[in-house]
Amino acid sequence: MLRKKMADAGIAAAIVPQADPHAGEYLASHWQARRFLSGFTGSAGTLVVLADKAFLWTDSRYFLQAADQLDGTDITLMKDGVPGTPSINDYICSHLAAGDKVGIDGMLLPLSEARAMTAAFAKRGILLADDFDVLDQIWPDRPALPQGKIFVHDIKYAGIAAADKIAAVLERVEAQGADAAFISALDEIAWLLNIRADDVKYNPVATSFLYVAPAGKSVLLIDSAKLADDTTAYLAEQGVAVKDYSAVKDFLASLPAGAKVLIEPARTVSALAAALGSKAVEGASPVAMLKACKNDAQIAGVRAAMLRDGVAMVKSLMEIEQAVASGATFTELDVAKVLYRHRSQSPLFFDESFGTIAGYGSHGAIVHYEADEQSNATIHPNGLLLIDSGAQYLDGTTDITRTICLGTPTDLERRDFTLVMKGHIALAKMIFPQGTCGTQLDAIARRALWAEGLNYLHGTGHGVGHFLNVHEGPQSIRLNYVPAPMTPGMITSNEPGLYREGVHGIRCENLVLCVPAMTTDFGEFYKFETLTLCPFDRALFDTSIMTAEEIQWVNEYHTRVRTMLSPCLNSVERTWLEEKTAAL
């Protein structure tokens, strides 16, 4: 059906990204076009369709999953980031002829990417048609836009009122030579206005756009069905009027000719940038750094959430361990159910923060594996089980990975686990000068693995929101350069890993808070405070390849976990935790 529409429009290649008009990583069902067309369910990837062939580019987290889900289709997997794999632009340039057109929906294409594509294609005389929007015509049962109601995120959790946040954002807008800002990113809008919803699974955001302007002239563009009288009144109190979501292009086009509206090219789609035209002033998001650096109320909330989450993790790990040892049938999907049951008992629980990854044995090597009825493996009392999970609480977001041994560990399992933990510990102990970015820290977490000729292809750490997206920027700890400096108040994951295809996967993840460490004649220095409270599997440590300092770190961490969590556990659970946190 897509190819017929391509032929009708004279399109030689169609690009279908995993994208929405908000440059989001996680999408509402309405925007899951790439999933609908390809059958691949990962959260990252782009489909490219030509008249006689089709390709799907995705990153290392999804190589195994994509290979499995694309098997039997005419779609070829392209392993993005692997030497020898061309980029989408390079492939198109080498396979299309001058005068050919590439079609894409401009409401799904960030301005920065549109420019890169246009420049690359122009060298070969290839045209980019960013008005190729045929989804409604080929997707008859396309889900509607989300209709859930928004609600106000209480100031006792948010810490700062929306009106005060708007004032701080406008200061940054003015500093970049603009007098207003247009924001598409759903998590930025949710943070700025202290509103939440359930429009995107696992991410408590509301489908909307926001025009931020002085003197109470801000406008939230949102479906009126999502508002109630109290939320409309709340927005008015914060100086925010409401217009319909579908009117966004007309709204931007109608702004006064002399307006100077700040947009971030990477998070504003080309179709909306075109509607703004010469009124657009390009720059960095005025929200991202403010949102990333949590205030005191948010940090206190996250610490409280970590305590409750740690208790839920201990109860869950104990139950999982006992269920597997009992010989009863227990599966990967059962792991997710156990975690959900224990977490959801908290009165502040809202949802999971992402779909639980419970990978047993070789499934653990599929980095972002999520079991379904077809893949669901029965767990036996041997081998490794990787569990990556998290929760959305009203006072904070959690994300934790533990790899546990369900029998007697092999020498390879212990060595691999310990090499990963050596990297985790090295990063957790780092002290670094002001201005250090995540790229400079990434090698620290990989050093022990690199020394053995081992590696992992995903990032080591991502930013985490506050009762918001489990993945947020601008900071990131990864091999490729990300310029945002690690700054006090930022919460970031620490999650090195190691994956042996067909054998096992290992990842060890805590969340860490950037805090001041010291001031010397050489300037300000920062360090990480580990927030997550849950034991690592003692049985998997090979102390023969650990330093005394590394062993001390594990013992001190386990002592803290035991001290913090024990008062919240019953006697049986405390005994279990004492065994799991005994000194190495």
Side-chain angles (χ1 to χ4, degrees), residues 32 69 104 160 257 268 288 308 344 391 442 480 490 532:
Q32 293 282 5
Q69 292 181 327
I104 192 169
I160 301 174
T268 305
R308 295 192 307 276
S344 63
D442 185 80
N480 53 300
M490 286 181 170
T532 307

Side-chain angles (χ1 to χ4, degrees), residues 73-232:
T73 72
D74 70 345
I75 302 171
T76 301
L77 171 62
M78 302 293 272
K79 296 182 176 181
D80 202 14
V82 172
T85 300
S87 69
I88 292 172
N89 291 354
D90 287 345
Y91 180 86
I92 288 175
C93 285
S94 63
H95 286 77
L96 267 60
D100 282 344
K101 285 199 298 184
V102 177
I104 192 169
D105 181 0
M107 285 296 288
L108 305 179
L109 180 65
L111 177 59
S112 57
E113 293 183 23
R115 285 177 173 158
M117 282 184 181
T118 300
F121 298 163
K123 294 176 182 177
R124 302 300 297 268
I126 298 168
L127 307 174
L128 178 66
D130 65 356
D131 58 353
F132 186 61
D133 176 13
V134 297
L135 283 179
D136 285 338
Q137 301 169 51
I138 66 174
W139 194 356
D141 55 350
R142 183 179 187 180
L145 284 169
Q147 295 293 303
K149 301 285 188 180
I150 67 169
F151 62 93
V152 178
H153 190 214
D154 199 304
I155 190 69
K156 69 182 179 183
Y157 304 127
I160 301 174
D164 294 331
K165 291 181 179 180
I166 289 172
V169 164
L170 286 171
E171 287 182 8
R172 295 187 171 221
V173 168
E174 185 179 359
Q176 295 193 62
D179 50 37
F182 178 70
I183 300 171
S184 299
L186 301 185
D187 60 331
E188 293 190 353
I189 296 169
W191 175 86
L192 184 52
L193 298 184
N194 288 340
I195 58 172
R196 300 292 190 271
D198 59 358
D199 282 2
V200 181
K201 193 174 184 181
Y202 310 127
N203 299 293
V205 295
T207 304
S208 55
F209 297 101
L210 180 62
Y211 174 72
V212 185
K217 297 292 181 62
S218 297
V219 177
L220 178 67
L221 295 113
I222 189 169
D223 190 326
S224 60
K226 302 179 66 58
L227 299 171
D229 289 345
D230 60 339
T231 47
T232 302

Side-chain angles (χ1 to χ4, degrees), residues 50 54 57 103 132 140 188 217 236 251 276 307 335 358-359 414 417-418 458 465 481 495 500 502 527 560:
L50 283 71
W57 273 258
F132 186 61
E188 293 190 353
K217 297 292 181 62
F251 172 78
L276 267 175
L307 182 64
V335 171
R414 294 177 69 236
F417 177 88
T418 306
H458 59 73
Y481 179 59
E495 51 178 316
R500 296 187 184 273
K527 62 181 180 180
R560 179 166 165 258

Side-chain angles (χ1 to χ4, degrees), residues 216-396:
K217 297 292 181 62
S218 297
V219 177
L220 178 67
L221 295 113
I222 189 169
D223 190 326
S224 60
K226 302 179 66 58
L227 299 171
D229 289 345
D230 60 339
T231 47
T232 302
Y234 162 78
L235 291 169
E237 291 170 3
Q238 307 302 316
V240 181
V242 174
K243 290 187 181 295
D244 191 72
Y245 179 80
S246 63
V248 61
K249 286 184 182 178
D250 290 341
F251 172 78
L252 293 176
S254 69
L255 291 173
K260 293 183 289 185
V261 183
L262 180 67
I263 62 170
E264 183 182 16
R267 304 200 72 172
T268 305
V269 293
S270 62
L272 297 183
L276 267 175
S278 61
K279 292 170 283 194
V281 175
E282 297 178 21
S285 165
V287 176
M289 281 295 290
L290 291 170
K291 176 167 62 66
C293 299
K294 277 58 178 178
N295 60 52
D296 291 345
Q298 290 177 308
I299 292 170
V302 170
R303 289 195 177 112
M306 288 294 179
L307 182 64
R308 295 192 307 276
D309 204 64
V311 169
M313 282 296 301
V314 165
K315 292 175 181 286
S316 298
L317 291 175
M318 180 177 166
E319 182 175 337
I320 291 165
E321 184 181 274
Q322 292 172 346
V324 173
S326 73
T329 300
F330 193 79
T331 70
E332 292 167 333
L333 287 177
D334 291 326
V335 171
K337 292 174 184 175
V338 168
L339 288 160
Y340 185 90
R341 174 160 40 83
H342 285 295
R343 283 187 166 120
S344 63
Q345 291 172 7
S346 166
L348 298 186
F349 177 82
F350 182 79
D351 194 2
E352 296 170 295
S353 56
F354 56 96
T356 293
I357 298 167
Y360 174 61
S362 60
H363 283 173
I366 304 173
V367 179
H368 269 209
Y369 169 79
E370 187 174 348
D372 56 29
E373 293 297 339
Q374 288 69 46
S375 69
N376 189 25
T378 298
I379 301 170
H380 301 286
N382 58 73
L384 301 183
L385 173 63
L386 185 156
I387 306 172
D388 189 349
S389 66
Q392 296 284 9
Y393 301 100
L394 296 181
D395 56 352

Side-chain angles (χ1 to χ4, degrees), residues 289 434-438 474-475 482-488 490:
M289 281 295 290
Q434 182 182 36
T436 300
C437 67
Q475 84 276 22
V482 177
M486 302 303 295
T487 306
M490 286 181 170

Side-chain angles (χ1 to χ4, degrees), residues 59 61 437-443 446 457-462 475-482:
D59 63 48
R61 296 172 297 169
C437 67
T439 307
Q440 294 162 295
L441 298 173
D442 185 80
R446 299 177 190 265
L457 298 181
H458 59 73
T460 300
H462 57 82
Q475 84 276 22
S476 182
I477 303 175
R478 58 191 312 108
L479 283 169
N480 53 300
Y481 179 59
V482 177

